Amino acid sequence: MMEIKISDISAIQYSEIRKALGLNNNQKRPSKKFHYAFEPSGLWEDLAEKGFAIKLPGQRAGEVYYVVTFEPVRLVYRNNISLDYYLKL
């Protein structure tokens, strides 16, 4: 498996991951781990290709969930987070 590094993504992608984790409003800890889109997003498709997210079908045809994977959450949050805490998000 390829090692995931923050340097592999753009500043905009980094910001989008933070927003998907609920960290964009000075939250202390991640409060969620997904981005919901009404149609596939090139930015998030790239993150999924690089292993930063997993793409899942949305509630309606054409809609998509992008779930941020565990290792990127640890990198973006910059604090030790347990797998148990991640799974409860």
Side-chain angles (χ1 to χ4, degrees):
M1 186 172 168
M2 192 172 78
E3 182 183 351
I4 293 175
K5 297 179 282 188
I6 293 297
S7 60
D8 293 337
I9 61 174
S10 70
I12 293 171
Q13 288 174 314
Y14 180 82
S15 177
E16 285 295 309
I17 289 174
R18 286 188 56 80
K19 190 185 315 180
L21 298 175
L23 293 172
N24 57 331
N25 293 322
N26 295 322
Q27 290 281 43
K28 301 274 189 227
R29 297 188 68 145
S31 59
K32 59 181 187 162
K33 62 181 175 190
F34 68 90
H35 171 75
Y36 193 85
F38 294 107
E39 59 187 29
S41 159
L43 183 141
W44 279 95
E45 291 289 319
D46 185 54
L47 287 169
E49 286 178 24
K50 293 176 178 175
F52 283 78
I54 297 169
K55 179 181 175 181
L56 300 173
Q59 296 176 352
R60 296 188 180 109
E63 296 179 346
V64 182
Y65 276 107
Y66 295 98
V67 179
V68 182
T69 54
F70 178 60
E71 193 58 35
V73 171
R74 293 180 72 199
L75 291 173
V76 170
Y77 178 52
R78 294 186 181 173
N79 285 313
N80 194 13
I81 186 171
S82 70
L83 181 58
D84 186 49
Y85 183 86
Y86 168 82
L87 294 173
K88 291 178 183 176
L89 291 174

